[in-house]
Each structure stands twice: as C-alpha cells, then as structure tokens.
Amino acid sequence: MSDTAPSRLELLQFARRVVVQQARASLAQLDRWIAEEERREAERRRGGESQPTPPEWLVEHGLNRRNVVAVHAGDCWTVRKSGRCVPVSRPQALEALRQQVPACSQCRPDTLLGFLE
C-alpha cells in the first residue's frame, strides 16, 4: 500500500468518472422508461382501433335464456354487462317488437326504429 495520498487532480478525475458513470446509468434508465411508455401507448392505440363496433340492436334474454324480455339499442347503457343480450338486425328487432317484446324504457328502440303500435 502506498503512503502517498491521491492528489487533488486525481480525486477530481475520479469524481468525474463517477459522475459520468451515474449519468450514463440514469440516461439508460430514462431510455428504458421512455421505450416502455412508447410500447404502452402503441398498445393502447392498437387496442382502441381493434374494438369491434357495437351492434345496432340487441335483444335481451331472460335468466333462463329462452324467452326474450326486451329490445335495446346497441349502445344502451343498461345492458352493457348483463351477458344476456345478443345482437340482432333491424328487421329482427322490429319483429321482436311486433311480437310484443317490450322496448327498453331507457334507450327507447321502438322510437329509434320508428315502430308505431
């Protein structure tokens, strides 16, 4: 072991190497965070683009899945998570209304379809 202490210049050069090393590590971390956020943004954009368009009309089945209990517009907020609705065409929705299936009182598909009893 040497008895001589490092010079002031050697200490400053050492401090500079440490700062450079820490700066590179910090920049690398920031670059990883940026890349991760860019990946997430791209996934969100792809996810939004791949969402299927909602059906125009829905019929809601009862708990036994046999009887039809209501006709809804495709964007009706009351049936979003019920899991008992199936998409139907405009003629099928009109036919259900003709068969006395009640229209949803919230989205009023009978009015939207121009169905007059």
Side-chain angles (χ1 to χ4, degrees):
M1 198 159 136
S2 171
D3 289 340
T4 62
S7 71
R8 181 170 166 80
L9 179 60
E10 291 172 325
L11 290 174
L12 289 171
Q13 288 171 338
F14 174 76
R16 184 184 187 288
R17 285 193 305 271
V18 169
V19 168
V20 167
Q21 180 184 11
Q22 290 175 344
R24 285 185 182 139
S26 294
L27 284 173
Q29 179 66 50
L30 281 171
D31 289 342
R32 286 191 297 272
W33 289 342
I34 289 169
E36 180 65 22
E37 192 58 32
E38 286 172 342
R39 185 189 61 77
R40 285 185 191 135
E41 283 294 321
E43 283 179 5
R44 278 192 282 273
R45 278 192 302 276
R46 279 193 307 271
E49 293 166 358
S50 66
Q51 291 292 325
T53 57
E56 212 172 338
W57 310 104
L58 298 166
V59 292
E60 180 180 2
H61 291 275
L63 292 175
N64 65 5
R65 304 259 189 221
R66 290 190 190 120
N67 58 330
V68 178
V69 296
V71 177
H72 298 273
D75 60 353
C76 182
W77 62 272
T78 63
V79 295
R80 290 191 189 255
K81 294 185 181 177
S82 75
R84 297 186 325 227
C85 290
V86 293
V88 294
S89 66
R90 179 183 178 89
Q92 290 171 318
L94 282 166
E95 183 57 31
L97 291 170
R98 283 190 202 98
Q99 298 290 327
Q100 303 299 314
V101 175
C104 172
S105 61
Q106 302 301 313
C107 64
R108 301 305 308 177
D110 51 348
T111 303
L112 296 172
L113 286 164
F115 180 77
L116 301 172
E117 293 185 49

